[in-house]
Amino acid sequence: MANREELGIIRGARAGRAEAQLALGKLYLSGSTGLPKSLPTAVHWLDRAAQQDCDEAWKLIATHIPLELAQRDASRLTPWYERAYDDGDAQAGLVLAQLVLDGDQGDALLRVKALTALDAAAQSGLPEAQWLLARQRALDSAVPMPSSAPLAAPGLPDPYHAQWLERAADSGVPEARFALIERAWDGEQWALYIERALPLAQTLADQSAPAGLSPDALRLLARCAQLLTDGRVAQTLEPARIQRFWELAAHGHERTAQLAMGLWLARMEVNGSRTNDGPGSANFKKAIRWLALAGEQGLAEAWFALSRIYSKPEFSQRNIAIAQDYLERAADMGYRDAQLECGLNAWRARREQEHNDVRASYWLQKAAGQGCPQAQAALLKIAPRGAPLDWGDAALSRDLISSHPFLAARIELAALFNLTRAEALLLDVKAADHGHCLLVDIRASYRRSKRRVVLLQTAQERQGLDRIVRLFEDIDCGPSGPEGNYRQRLYRFKTLLPGTFAERADEPAD
């Protein structure tokens, strides 16, 4: 509880006297017998005193109030740090730079002053300033740099950002050291990366527990283990040490390390092929745990590897249904090998479920889009395009479109997707559209036809199909609809367009 003297100071501060506000701010800065230490309360009273031209008040703000607290009310406190910097306080200049460059405080002149202050603080040897200046100048030079909160202001161009980064790293700033190592990774300088990162990884492996490691440290351990395992660097390390890197990173929830741990325990590659890594036999149950954790963090390869495990005859809990579920998860996440396998599996099972031809074309088209030659070859067999047909230029004349819009739309559809005459006249347009493909199946009305899938390959085909589907949206495409049965449609077609269609040699006669 405040004593009599402190109560008098409080009354004076509330009355607006600058000297009392300064005194009360000092009491709250360090605490007293009757008043607790409270930096937010100290800021309040020191700011009020500074607004009454009390120089000591703004100097105390710049000296004792940390950045985290100043950021809560940056617009109000930035001028006091600016004054302190103008008065020669380098540390205040560092806070000024962080307040201005890391937000929207101040005009262009103030931002230039903030950059100058940051440069001065870095030149004076402040490690944090050196790190911030390296980040800022890397941003200005469009050089990728890792940062949890990148400075967003355009500043003075400086080609020597790497020099500041090295100085900050040499000064012991952990973020700068990790950023310097990251530059070697981004530049694919694997030998340099190992040279810089391996000593730090060794130290982390000896002294740290997974719970105490930062995300940067976990990523560094995983990358060192990856480079030492896949042969991209000439340097070698004992397998037990590499395994220690993987384990630390995996326990710290680094997903690539979790994948590596799962594969190591299963003694296999992602595709399920056996490896001879490590002593002992495969432990699929432990491997499943790590692979599931990696999959839940977004690694499609982990789900694919899980599908391989559940497909293995030697696994005591082999389950084809679970394997298929994991396979489809990997395919949904864009893993090419999983998409290829999903497509091929669906095609093999098309007799069990007729719709599998549509599923097969979907997955194979996805895999082919990622450059898979096996998928491209399979699509040529599953969904071949018929030879282009000559429907005649007169087919889509204005008179035909206005008088017989449905017939004109069917002819346009046939020209887009190389349909036969029977397919063009009988296709249920709405049911045929499956997004990635056109399912042509008129067997119910034309028994001599065959079910087939036609892939949509261009934006023009997609736009044309969308327009035609909209036309038939509220129309019954069956024989009871406005177009009539097949004979009526065929009679109309031959009457309106005599000689405009050259029959395919393999198309059955009507």
Side-chain angles (χ1 to χ4, degrees), residues 138-201:
L139 179 66
D140 296 337
S141 303
V143 176
M145 292 278 289
S147 171
S148 57
L151 297 173
L156 303 175
D158 181 6
Y160 303 110
H161 52 83
Q163 174 187 342
W164 286 112
L165 184 59
E166 291 172 3
R167 290 178 64 177
D170 292 340
S171 299
V173 179
E175 298 90 344
R177 189 173 183 183
F178 283 116
L180 190 63
I181 295 171
E182 190 80 5
R183 282 171 54 85
W185 179 271
D186 292 338
E188 298 184 358
Q189 299 171 296
W190 313 128
L192 180 60
Y193 184 89
I194 284 294
E195 178 185 341
R196 291 176 174 175
L198 190 56
L200 181 55

Side-chain angles (χ1 to χ4, degrees), residues 247-259:
E247 288 174 355
L248 279 174
H251 282 287
H253 308 291
E254 212 288 327
R255 62 180 191 170
T256 58
Q258 291 172 337
L259 172 63

Side-chain angles (χ1 to χ4, degrees), residues 188-270:
E188 298 184 358
Q189 299 171 296
W190 313 128
L192 180 60
Y193 184 89
I194 284 294
E195 178 185 341
R196 291 176 174 175
L198 190 56
L200 181 55
Q202 298 271 36
T203 302
L204 292 170
D206 289 334
Q207 301 178 359
S208 299
L213 294 175
S214 67
D216 286 336
L218 294 169
R219 184 169 57 249
L220 181 140
L221 285 167
R223 286 177 173 176
C224 282
Q226 181 180 345
L227 290 176
L228 292 167
T229 302
D230 63 17
R232 276 184 284 177
V233 294
Q235 188 165 350
T236 59
L237 199 65
E238 57 271 22
R241 197 64 173 163
I242 298 176
Q243 193 61 27
R244 172 65 175 165
F245 293 171
W246 283 131
E247 288 174 355
L248 279 174
H251 282 287
H253 308 291
E254 212 288 327
R255 62 180 191 170
T256 58
Q258 291 172 337
L259 172 63
M261 279 293 295
L263 295 175
W264 181 79
L265 288 166
R267 303 293 191 269
M268 71 178 205
E269 302 288 349
V270 173

Side-chain angles (χ1 to χ4, degrees), residues 44-167:
H44 171 75
W45 291 113
L46 291 174
D47 176 61
R48 291 185 62 176
Q51 291 177 20
Q52 298 191 61
D53 296 326
C54 178
D55 291 347
E56 187 178 358
W58 56 257
K59 288 180 181 179
L60 287 171
I61 289 175
T63 305
H64 292 88
I65 303 304
L67 172 66
E68 295 75 16
L69 183 55
Q71 286 174 326
R72 299 179 187 177
D73 197 357
S75 60
R76 184 163 58 96
L77 299 182
T78 296
W80 310 135
Y81 289 96
E82 184 182 3
R83 283 195 188 184
Y85 166 66
D86 292 338
D87 198 47
D89 188 340
Q91 185 64 42
L94 174 59
V95 178
L96 172 66
Q98 291 170 291
L99 290 175
V100 172
L101 299 176
D102 215 11
D104 297 323
Q105 302 302 320
D107 54 18
L109 291 177
L110 181 58
R111 299 179 85 80
V112 171
K113 178 183 283 190
L115 281 166
T116 306
L118 184 60
D119 185 80
Q123 295 284 3
S124 68
L126 290 177
E128 186 179 3
Q130 293 169 345
W131 162 235
L132 293 174
L133 188 59
R135 282 170 47 193
Q136 180 63 36
R137 288 178 173 171
L139 179 66
D140 296 337
S141 303
V143 176
M145 292 278 289
S147 171
S148 57
L151 297 173
L156 303 175
D158 181 6
Y160 303 110
H161 52 83
Q163 174 187 342
W164 286 112
L165 184 59
E166 291 172 3
R167 290 178 64 177

Side-chain angles (χ1 to χ4, degrees), residues 236-436:
T236 59
L237 199 65
E238 57 271 22
R241 197 64 173 163
I242 298 176
Q243 193 61 27
R244 172 65 175 165
F245 293 171
W246 283 131
E247 288 174 355
L248 279 174
H251 282 287
H253 308 291
E254 212 288 327
R255 62 180 191 170
T256 58
Q258 291 172 337
L259 172 63
M261 279 293 295
L263 295 175
W264 181 79
L265 288 166
R267 303 293 191 269
M268 71 178 205
E269 302 288 349
V270 173
N271 62 6
S273 59
R274 294 290 299 273
T275 63
N276 296 319
D277 293 340
S281 58
N283 189 328
F284 291 126
K285 292 183 179 179
K286 288 185 178 180
I288 286 171
R289 171 178 173 264
W290 287 114
L291 292 172
L293 289 171
E296 288 165 1
Q297 292 199 73
L299 274 187
E301 299 97 317
W303 295 123
F304 186 69
L306 279 170
S307 75
R308 303 298 85 199
I309 289 178
Y310 276 97
S311 300
K312 286 182 176 292
E314 62 267 32
F315 181 39
S316 61
Q317 298 179 11
R318 183 173 185 260
N319 189 311
I320 298 302
I322 294 177
Q324 183 63 27
D325 178 59
Y326 288 146
L327 182 67
E328 291 186 1
R329 287 196 199 185
D332 282 332
M333 295 172 70
Y335 193 62
R336 193 182 80 172
D337 290 351
Q339 292 171 341
L340 172 64
E341 187 166 342
C342 279
L344 295 178
N345 287 346
W347 181 247
R348 295 187 195 104
R350 65 189 182 280
R351 287 186 174 85
E352 301 171 13
Q353 188 175 350
E354 192 175 49
H355 192 69
N356 275 343
D357 55 354
V358 175
R359 294 185 67 250
S361 65
Y362 172 79
W363 288 121
L364 291 172
Q365 193 175 40
K366 290 281 188 183
Q370 297 192 61
C372 178
Q374 299 96 318
Q376 293 169 353
L379 282 175
L380 293 176
K381 297 179 180 178
I382 292 173
R385 276 288 179 102
L389 303 176
D390 182 13
W391 285 89
D393 296 334
L396 294 179
S397 65
R398 289 188 178 182
D399 291 341
L400 179 63
I401 293 174
S402 60
S403 60
H404 296 84
F406 301 126
L407 178 59
R410 288 183 177 278
I411 293 173
E412 182 184 359
L413 189 69
L416 275 174
F417 299 104
N418 300 340
L419 305 183
T420 67
R421 184 175 63 190
E423 289 171 343
L425 295 177
L426 289 173
L427 187 65
D428 185 342
V429 179
K430 295 177 290 184
D433 183 11
H434 287 266
H436 69 286

Side-chain angles (χ1 to χ4, degrees), residues 482-493:
E483 295 181 280
N485 59 31
Y486 177 53
R487 291 191 176 277
Q488 291 170 320
R489 298 180 192 187
L490 182 60
Y491 175 78
R492 190 180 304 116
F493 173 81

